[in-house]
Structures are given as C-alpha cells and as structure tokens.
Amino acid sequence: MAVTLRDVARMAGVSIKTASNVVNGYSFVKPENRRRVEEALAATGYRPNIGARNLRRGRTGFIALVVPELGIPYFGELAGLVITAGRELGWNVLIEQTQASREGERAVLSALGPHLIDAAVISPEALHAADFAELDPGVPLVMIGEHSVDVRIDRVAIDNVLAARLAVGHLVEIGRRRIAAIGAHPTRGTSELRLAGYRQALADAGLPELVRPALSYHRQNGAAAMASLLDLPEPPDAVFCFNDLLAIGAMRAIADRGLRVPEDIAVVGFDNTEEGAYSRPTLTSIAPDKLAIARTAVELARRRIEAEEPFEPEDIQTPFTLAVRESTAG
C-alpha cells in the first residue's frame, strides 16, 4: 500500500496537521517536531501528491519565466536559478522567450493566465505601460531587471545607471580618455539606463562620448560595432559594452586588427557570465547577484499568491559588483 501522511504522522508521534505543515514548508513548526517528521518522511519514503494539493488550493503548481532570449548567457544562467528557487517552494517553471520585441512580449503576456500558471516572473524590453493594462493575465507579475516602463508591479533589479557609472569610472581610473560605448538600442529599457550611466560618468570626468548602437546583443553585433570604432581616425582606448556577448565580439574585432586587450584598448562587459570569466583575456564585467535576483523574484511571487490582503508593489534592488579581470587589469 502507498504510504500516507497519516502513516508519517503516526511514526513521528505528531498530529496529521503538524506533519502536513512540515511537508508544506511552513516555518511555525517546533524544531523537535520538524526533526521527527523529517525522519519519518525519510524512513517511509512518503511523497506528497502535488497535483491534489494544488487542486485543493486552487493553484496550478506552475510559474512562468518570460525572458528575451535564452541564447544570451545571462538569461540562460538566470533561468537555471529561477528554476531552482521555484522548486524549493514547490513550483515548476515554464519558460517563454520573446526575442525582446514588443510583439513577442505582447503575445506571451496575452497567453498567460490562471488556467496555466500561478504567477509570472518577466523581463520585458519593449512593452508599454498600456500593454500591461490591456493584457493583464490575472496572475501576479514580478518584473526582473530595471526598465523604464512605469507600471505598478513588483520589481527586482540592480541599479543599471549606477552600475554603468562604476564600469566607466573604472576605465577612467586606469587612465583611459577616449571611452566608447556599444549597445545603444531604441527600445531596450536597460540600454537606455546603461547609456545614461555611461554619459554621467563621462560628464563627471569631462570626457567626450562615443556611442555605437547594437540592434541585437550578440557577439557579431559587438564585433561589427567595434570594427566601425577602429575605422575612426582616432579609435577609442577603451570600450564599455552593454552585455558580455557584445564585449567578447568587440575583443575579437580588436584582435583581428592586430591590437591587444587591454594594452591598446581596455574592455568592460556587463552581466558577469561564465563565458566572460573564461575568455582570453578574461573579461572585466559588472556582476549582478543573479542568485539574489532569482530568489527574491520567486519569493515575491509566493507572497503575492499567498497574500490574503493586497499590498503595495515592492521595488527591490539587489547588489552588484565590478569583477575586474584581464581585459582592464592586464
């Protein structure tokens, strides 16, 4: 016969309610009772019926993660962390990608709903505030990443302006005076913020701006933008790229011209992905605390789902650092 929760409670010498509280992860169980229940769970091999539990609660047991592109390493790494954080709270995670277009983001948002998911963690790049009102999926939304769209939902992000200022300030500190930026984009909210931080840092140092756009944030876009900079009569002696893939593409273009990083041109990226940590040279990069972003976003979703009364949207900033490596330190 299948082991039941009643069997677990009997073995642990506690009530069924106490055993249920332990299985469901509630924190108000006495430590001794929790220990006994956990030992009974291990001894019996009991596994809760997640489907039945979610049905009783009126939930699906799924949350969605909506990102621009899984092919961009930052979002791939973040997705893995969100999946882990979701599982710790008993959720499976459905993943959708939008290609960072407004059409793609609208299509995904309109398809979500309480028949599929309990909440969604989203990273929009092009949605307008009116889109959220028009396509309200009827489940809690938590936005990750700092975006210029003004909507009253929970947000978890780093301060992109401050992070960009830190990156460019580092280049100023190591003596660079012609600092370019790669990554300007007409609709990406994070691009707008990182560009603002770049400009503020240069204004503080009294240095000129030198900006190149990137319609997509992949290696080839960084290489093409860097090539155009190298064709200038006065090429830059440093470049700040709005993500690591752009920076890696830029470093390839520099090497193809017979120039050296950082001796001739220093390079800084953004996102601190594993690829940048193992590139040659290794890449200096803004390092968001991706684990904190994932856990905080999922915890906010849980609080929204379980709240008996509505509460004001929260705007939580997570930490970041500058990981200094060979591309600026030699």
Side-chain angles (χ1 to χ4, degrees), residues 171 174-177 235-239 251 254-255 258-267 280-282 325-330:
L171 293 170
I174 64 173
R176 307 302 164 120
R177 292 295 176 265
D237 59 6
V239 59
M251 289 198 296
I254 292 167
L259 300 172
R260 299 168 300 165
V261 175
E263 291 85 354
D264 299 307
I265 304 174
V267 180
R280 184 183 290 259
T282 56
R325 299 194 181 97
E326 295 166 348
S327 67
T328 62

Side-chain angles (χ1 to χ4, degrees), residues 237-254:
D237 59 6
V239 59
F240 167 51
C241 297
F242 290 6
N243 82 346
D244 282 1
L245 289 187
L246 291 173
I248 289 168
M251 289 198 296
R252 177 55 188 257
I254 292 167

